[in-house]
Amino acid sequence: MPVEIQVNGLTKHFGGLKAVSNLSFELNKGELLGLIGPNGAGKTTVFNLMTGLLKPNSGQVVFKGKNIADWAPHLISACGIARTFQNIKLMVGMTVRENIRPAFHQKINYSMMSSLIRTPAFLKTEREMDEEIDQILDMLQITEFTDQYVEGLPYGIQRRVEIARALCLEPVVLLLDEPTAGLNHKEAKDIVEVIKDLLIEKNISMIVIEHNMRVIMSICDRIIVLNQGQLIASGIPEEIQQNNEVIRVYLGEKRIAG
Ligand SMILES: Nc1ncnc2c1ncn2[C@@H]1O[C@H](COP(=O)(O)OP(=O)(O)O)[C@@H](O)[C@H]1O
Ligand SMILES: [Mg+2]
């Protein structure tokens, strides 16, 4: 399977704490890769390193043949890696559409700065942008909320707005940090459907950090497990469920759902 992103020996220390230690893994094209591990294992730090929010002490994130680990976040997102946050980050006092528009502008601005990363978003008119936003909102089934202020919306809808914003960057890679966190059962189920649809319709390669083991085991092609910053297992869901080290790490936290 062709590799989309290759992570090599990624290491991040915070003072004396080794949040991520010599981590290597690959994300294959079109794959949904699960990233799991106990609280504090270093999962969000991995996303922060892959999106330029943090710089590694050592190691590489190779995307499109280049090590992007030292790039600024806006360049990485303009090149096709988009993310959502564990704690939803939307702009209050603005509508759903207003929250999404800047993602388009960002893409266009940086496309103009470099022919290397020129994309179809280049030279789009405002109206074309709004049409695309409408399409994305329709795909996420949140059209009815387009002109509503985000802060009044149910949590599950806010999550989808965040995913919609990420999709406006026309990503080839999408990193979802605990997309079902804080959602009720129905909302979580709906988000899982959205993720499955994205895989099929957009053929985006994805990494999903998720606490809900049932969700992870049911949607992921492959899973990697972090504990205290180190990779302790990698494999298909069945292998991970039966991995003794993984079971040991999760004992006391929660049982792995069957
Ligand atoms: N910016 C930071 N400064 C200092 N310590 C941090 C920072 N970000 C994360 N950490 C620490 O690094 C470890 C891994 O955190 P994190 O990646 O958020 O874990 P996870 O997402 O797996 O729960 C934790 O011990 C956390 O407290
Ligand atoms: Mg986290």
Side-chain angles (χ1 to χ4, degrees), residues 14 17 19 38-45 86:
F14 295 112
L17 176 80
N39 264 330
K43 305 180 296 295
T44 297
T45 302
Q86 193 169 341

Side-chain angles (χ1 to χ4, degrees), residues 77 91 94-110 126 129-130 133 165 168-169:
S77 63
M91 293 173 287
M94 295 176 96
T95 65
V96 169
R97 187 188 297 283
E98 288 165 349
N99 263 273
I100 292 175
R101 266 205 198 113
F104 266 108
H105 287 289
Q106 184 197 336
K107 179 113 189 156
I108 290 165
N109 288 342
Y110 290 106
E126 291 285 322
M129 268 189 255
D130 273 342
I133 290 174
R165 185 173 58 184
C168 286
L169 293 164

